Amino acid sequence: MNPRAPQGYDPHAFTPFAVTVDLAVFTVRDGDLQVLLVERGQEPYAGRWALPGGFVLPRESAETAARRELAEETGLSDVSGLHLEQLRTYSEPERDPRMRVVSVAFAALGPDLPEPRGGGDAAQAQWRPFRAVGALAFDHDRILADAHDRIGAKLEYSCLATSFCPPEFTLGELQQVYETVWGTGLDRPNFRRKVLATPGFVEPVPGGARLTGGRGKPAALYRAGTAATLHPPLLRPTSPEGRSR
Amino acid sequence: MNPRAPQGYDPHAFTPFAVTVDLAVFTVRDGDLQVLLVERGQEPYAGRWALPGGFVLPRESAETAARRELAEETGLSDVSGLHLEQLRTYSEPERDPRMRVVSVAFAALGPDLPEPRGGGDAAQAQWRPFRAVGALAFDHDRILADAHDRIGAKLEYSCLATSFCPPEFTLGELQQVYETVWGTGLDRPNFRRKVLATPGFVEPVPGGARLTGGRGKPAALYRAGTAATLHPPLLRPTSPEGRSR
DNA sequence: CTCCTTAATAGTCATCACGACTATAAAGAG
DNA sequence: CTCTTTATAGTCGTGATGACTATTAAGGAG
C-alpha cells in the first residue's frame, strides 16, 4: 500500500491519530503576565502542571474545540471577544508516551480574566506567573515558550495589545501590557507619541478622564481602534539583537 | 464519557483522525513565481489541480512527513537545504468529503528547482505560475493563499529571500526574488543600500564578479549571511499605506 | 492649607533610515 | 565607436525615533 497517494487519499492507508488542542491562555493581572495552568491528576506527569486542552470532537474544527476549551477552562460565558490564535501543530511521535497524539496549539489573550473554576475532574486550574512557571508536562514547556514568543512578536506589528486591556483603558495601562509581556521598560512620552500617531490603534473615549483610583494626574481613556496592524511597527527596544536601531 | 479529560487523555475518548501534510512549494524561475501542483486522478476533484501532500506515517512527525513528501515530489535527492516552514493546520470537518482529515500545511522554498518527475500513480506534477493558478481541490486555494501571504510577510523581516537564490547570487537576483514574490517593483539603488546595510544578510564572495551572461556591467556575487532576521525590516513599498499591510 | 510625591501630558533636539532622485562605470550589441 | 543595458555611487529632504526636559493635575502628609 502506497502511503503517499498523491491523487486521492486511500481510506485504507492512513494511520489514525488522536487530535487535541492545547491552549496557552495569557492575562495581565497586577502588572504581571500570567498563564492558565491545570494540575494533572493522572500518570503520566501526575502532579505536574500542564496547559489546558482536550480532544477535538468528531464534528469540530480545532478552532471550535479551542474556543470551547477556553470557555470551559476560564469559566467565562462569553469568550467571543477573546483573541484566539493558532500557533502551530506539535506532532513528534514520542510527545505523549501512551499513544500518537497530534496537538494543535493556540494562544489566547484576555484582560484580567477571572479565577478559573476548578475542573470537575479534581484537576485544579490556576493562574500562574509566566516567569515563574517550572517544568510542565509533555512538551508544554516548548508550546508555552513558542506562545510567548509569538505574542511578544505580534505586539510589535499588530493591535493585539488592546486584547489584554478592558474595553476602556488608559495609555499607561496599554504601555504596561507591552512592558509586562516584553519584560522591558518603555519611555512613557515616546510610547504615547507613537501610539497616538498610529491611525486606528486607539481612539479617545468621547469625554472622559479617570479620576478616582489614580495617585497622579488623571489619565484620558481610550478604546481599541479599528486597525488590525501597526504601521510602522512598535519595535521592542532591546529586540534588535545583532545591531539594533 | 467526558471528552475534555484535562488531567489525562482517556484512550477510549478520542475520535481517530487522518493526519496529512500539504505542501505549498514555491520557486522562482524565469523571473516568475511558480508553485508545484499535482493533478488529481480520482474523485473527489478528479482532474483538478491540488497541492502535493500525503499521510503522516505512524512514526513520523509532520515535519518529517513534509520533508519526505518534498523529496518525493520534487525528485531532489537532497532537500535538506530547502526551507520548510509550518504554516498552520486546517481542520474544518467538511474539508474532505470522505472522512475527517486534519492537514498540517507547510510552505517550502527553493532556488529554480528541477521539473518534477511524474508521480508513479498516473498523477502528473507540474510547476505552475502562481498568479495563474485556478481553483484547486479541497481547501487548497486557501492554503496556497495563506502560504503566499506568509512568504511575502516573512521576506520583510527575515533572510528568507536567500532561500530562493542559488548559493552565490547577485543583488539583482535577490531583488528579483522580492519583486517576484511581492509583485511590485523596487528601486535598485535603495534596495542595494538597504541589503548591504543589514549586517549578516549577505556577504560578498571573496573575489568574484560575474561577467559572462550579463548584458550590462558585471555584478558582484554574494552568498547568504549568518543572520536569520532583518533589523530593521525591509518593508514592502505599498505596505505602509493608509491601513493594512 | 501647603508642600511633596506621583503620574499624565507637552514639548525639544539630534540622529538616522528611507524614498526619490541623479550620476557614473563597465560590459555587450549594432 | 556609439548606444543600450545594468551595476554601483552618491545626494537631499522628510519623517520616525531615542533621549531628554518641562509642565500640569491629582492625592497625601504634615
Side-chain angles (χ1 to χ4, degrees):
Chain A
M1 186 62 65
N2 176 11
R4 179 155 143 252
Q7 51 183 322
Y9 306 128
D10 182 335
H12 304 294
F14 78 92
T15 316
F17 291 79
V19 177
T20 63
V21 292
D22 284 314
L23 278 78
V25 189
F26 291 99
T27 196
V28 174
R29 337 180 78 193
D30 316 319
D32 193 28
L33 183 66
Q34 306 209 342
V35 62
L36 186 63
L37 297 181
V38 298
E39 190 176 12
R40 289 181 54 79
Q42 302 176 352
E43 292 295 338
Y45 301 104
R48 291 274 278 278
W49 293 89
L51 298 179
F55 288 101
V56 177
L57 300 182
R59 310 196 71 81
E60 281 182 331
S61 68
E63 282 71 17
T64 304
R67 202 165 282 282
R68 172 177 55 74
E69 292 288 338
L70 180 60
E72 290 174 7
E73 300 289 350
T74 61
L76 288 176
S77 56
D78 180 23
V79 292
S80 58
L82 298 190
H83 182 88
L84 189 62
E85 172 166 337
Q86 191 183 126
L87 251 191
R88 53 159 291 185
T89 294
Y90 297 82
S91 59
E92 299 303 316
E94 307 298 331
R95 62 180 296 277
D96 189 313
R98 290 159 300 175
M99 60 193 210
R100 228 21 237 287
V101 178
V102 168
S103 182
V104 185
F106 289 81
L109 310 178
D112 197 349
L113 295 169
E115 278 297 330
R117 8 164 273 191
D121 309 310
Q124 57 169 319
Q126 265 189 19
W127 291 108
R128 307 275 297 196
F130 169 74
R131 284 165 225 288
V133 169
L136 300 178
F138 304 107
D139 52 359
H140 290 188
D141 290 313
R142 173 149 183 232
I143 297 177
L144 182 58
D146 288 350
H148 182 252
D149 286 350
R150 174 78 70 89
I151 299 304
K154 280 211 89 167
L155 287 191
E156 290 188 327
Y157 59 90
S158 77
C159 297
L160 188 60
T162 56
S163 297
F164 276 109
C165 293
E168 298 190 345
F169 51 88
T170 69
L171 294 186
E173 289 170 335
L174 187 65
Q175 181 176 347
Q176 188 149 68
V177 168
Y178 277 90
E179 294 179 332
T180 301
V181 175
W182 285 347
T184 63
L186 297 173
D187 180 82
R188 201 179 282 268
N190 288 342
F191 180 83
R192 174 188 190 77
R193 184 221 292 159
K194 188 77 176 71
V195 169
L196 294 180
T198 303
F201 191 6
V202 299
E203 47 192 35
V205 166
R210 163 218 218 186
L211 318 164
T212 52
R215 265 198 301 277
K217 177 175 175 177
L221 286 173
Y222 296 83
R223 55 173 63 119
T226 55
T229 59
L230 265 33
H231 277 287
L234 205 162
L235 298 172
R236 304 148 139 108
T238 33
S239 157
E241 20 66 275
R243 181 56 59 86
S244 94
R245 63 182 314 163
Chain B
M1 185 61 67
N2 176 12
R4 179 156 143 253
Q7 50 185 323
Y9 305 129
D10 182 336
H12 305 294
F14 78 93
T15 315
F17 291 80
V19 177
T20 63
V21 291
D22 284 315
L23 278 80
V25 189
F26 291 99
T27 195
V28 174
R29 341 179 75 193
D30 316 318
D32 194 28
L33 182 66
Q34 305 207 345
V35 62
L36 186 64
L37 296 181
V38 298
E39 189 176 12
R40 290 180 54 79
Q42 301 178 353
E43 291 296 338
Y45 301 104
R48 289 275 276 280
W49 293 88
L51 298 179
F55 289 101
V56 178
L57 300 181
R59 310 196 70 82
E60 279 182 332
S61 68
E63 282 71 18
T64 304
R67 202 165 282 281
R68 172 177 55 76
E69 291 288 340
L70 181 60
E72 289 175 7
E73 300 288 351
T74 61
L76 288 176
S77 57
D78 180 23
V79 291
S80 59
L82 298 189
H83 181 89
L84 189 63
E85 173 168 336
Q86 191 183 127
L87 252 190
R88 54 159 290 185
T89 293
Y90 297 82
S91 59
E92 299 302 316
E94 307 298 332
R95 61 180 297 276
D96 189 313
R98 291 159 301 174
M99 60 192 208
R100 220 32 230 284
V101 178
V102 168
S103 181
V104 185
F106 290 81
L109 311 177
D112 198 350
L113 296 169
E115 278 297 329
R117 10 164 270 191
D121 308 311
Q124 57 170 316
Q126 264 189 21
W127 290 109
R128 308 274 296 197
F130 169 74
R131 285 166 225 287
V133 169
L136 300 179
F138 305 107
D139 51 1
H140 290 187
D141 290 313
R142 175 153 180 227
I143 297 178
L144 181 59
D146 288 349
H148 181 252
D149 286 350
R150 174 77 70 89
I151 299 303
K154 282 210 90 168
L155 287 191
E156 291 189 328
Y157 60 90
S158 77
C159 297
L160 188 59
T162 56
S163 298
F164 277 108
C165 294
E168 299 189 344
F169 51 86
T170 69
L171 294 186
E173 289 170 336
L174 187 65
Q175 180 176 348
Q176 186 147 70
V177 168
Y178 277 90
E179 294 178 333
T180 301
V181 175
W182 286 347
T184 64
L186 297 174
D187 180 81
R188 201 179 283 269
N190 289 341
F191 180 83
R192 174 188 190 76
R193 184 220 293 159
K194 188 77 177 71
V195 169
L196 294 180
T198 303
F201 191 7
V202 299
E203 49 191 35
V205 165
R210 165 222 216 186
L211 319 162
T212 53
R215 264 201 301 278
K217 177 174 175 177
L221 286 173
Y222 297 84
R223 56 173 61 119
T226 56
T229 59
L230 266 33
H231 279 285
L234 205 162
L235 298 171
R236 300 148 138 111
T238 34
S239 163
E241 25 63 282
R243 188 62 55 82
S244 68
R245 82 175 315 166

